[in-house]
Amino acid sequence: MTSEYNAAQRVLHKLKQNVGEFDLMESTQDSTVVQGAIAQDLQTLSKRISEYRILGRQESNERKRTTMLDRATHMADDHEQLKRRTDKITQRRATRTIHTDERNELFQRTQMGRTQMDTTIAMDAQDEEAFWGRSEQLLDGYIEQGMSSLQNLREQKGILQSAHRRVLNVDDTLGLSRGVIKMINRRTTQDKILLGGGMAVTCILIYFIVHFFG
């Protein structure tokens, strides 16, 4: 009878050690191996306890029978406690694994979001740089056109002044009537007004271009 009890005690002692190691393990691979060993030891211990209980019931000596049944009850209680502890450890590990996976997934999503954001910002910066480059080119074109128009107006002013002087010279030479001279003067005045108005419009246009696009 003592040999059966000692065999059950050896399994119980080994089972307690494995459960303690299982509770402290961090590696999932190693803990899986130990968990399998614990499951096998629990099954073996349950079988040993059942066999020892049967032997105790068959014992003819009442005192020995009571002792054996009490031992079987104590080992069964230890077996139940170890089984519950193993289940709690397994549940805790599963919960921790779920939280770790969720945290890793959230971290990966955050990294992907940051990467996409950085890409978007870089593309926006390139688009903005391209926009300002096109704006500067367009503004330079407008300014160049304005300067060209202003130069043309200056040349036209010189041509009108030269024509006016030639008319005066012809008047002195040919004795043109005052009416013709007055008409020419009026035309010259009108041309001056048109020239001045054109120059003013050009200056205003250049001002707005520089103000809004500069």
Side-chain angles (χ1 to χ4, degrees), residues 21 24-25 41 43 46-47 55 68 77 81 86 121 132 139 144-145 164 168 170-172 174 182-184 209 214:
E21 292 177 1
L24 298 177
M25 281 185 174
D41 290 341
Q43 185 177 0
S46 177
K47 182 179 178 181
L55 291 175
M68 292 178 67
D77 292 341
Q81 290 178 1
T86 302
I121 293 175
W132 286 113
L139 181 60
E144 185 177 354
Q145 291 179 3
H164 183 257
L168 292 177
V170 172
D171 178 38
D172 293 338
L174 301 177
K182 289 181 179 180
M183 183 178 64
I184 292 174
I209 290 175

Side-chain angles (χ1 to χ4, degrees), residues 45-212:
L45 180 60
S46 177
K47 182 179 178 181
R48 296 281 186 183
I49 293 171
S50 298
E51 293 175 349
Y52 189 72
R53 183 179 284 112
I54 292 173
L55 291 175
R57 289 172 180 172
Q58 294 175 351
E59 176 62 45
S60 58
N61 187 299
E62 183 178 356
R63 187 174 62 84
K64 290 183 178 180
R65 181 172 63 252
T66 302
T67 300
M68 292 178 67
L69 293 177
D70 288 342
R71 288 177 175 177
T73 300
H74 290 157
M75 287 190 296
D77 292 341
D78 291 339
H79 174 275
E80 185 62 25
Q81 290 178 1
L82 291 171
K83 185 176 183 299
R84 291 179 179 176
R85 183 181 176 187
T86 302
D87 292 339
K88 289 182 179 179
I89 296 172
T90 302
Q91 181 63 33
R92 187 181 66 210
R93 284 180 173 276
T95 302
R96 185 170 59 187
T97 300
I98 293 174
H99 290 168
T100 301
D101 292 341
E102 291 178 348
R103 184 172 62 252
N104 292 336
E105 183 179 359
L106 179 60
F107 177 76
Q108 291 176 357
R109 290 182 178 178
T110 302
Q111 289 298 109
M112 291 176 61
R114 289 179 178 176
T115 301
Q116 293 177 354
M117 183 179 296
D118 293 341
T119 302
T120 302
I121 293 175
M123 292 179 63
D124 291 341
Q126 292 177 356
D127 293 341
E128 182 178 358
E129 184 178 357
F131 169 77
W132 286 113
R134 292 192 300 268
S135 299
E136 291 179 358
Q137 293 178 358
L138 184 61
L139 181 60
D140 292 339
Y142 286 149
I143 294 175
E144 185 177 354
Q145 291 179 3
M147 296 298 294
S148 177
S149 299
L150 182 61
Q151 183 64 30
N152 291 335
L153 290 174
R154 289 175 177 174
E155 292 177 356
Q156 292 178 7
K157 179 181 178 182
I159 293 172
L160 291 173
Q161 290 177 347
S162 177
H164 183 257
R165 285 193 297 270
R166 285 198 299 270
V167 169
L168 292 177
N169 291 333
V170 172
D171 178 38
D172 293 338
T173 304
L174 301 177
L176 293 176
S177 64
R178 290 183 179 179
V180 175
I181 297 300
K182 289 181 179 180
M183 183 178 64
I184 292 174
N185 288 333
R186 285 197 301 269
R187 179 61 183 272
T188 302
T189 301
Q190 292 175 356
D191 291 340
K192 288 181 178 180
I193 294 174
L194 290 175
L195 177 62
M199 292 177 66
V201 171
T202 301
C203 292
I204 293 172
L205 179 61
I206 293 174
Y207 170 79
F208 278 110
I209 290 175
V210 173
H211 180 72
F212 288 104

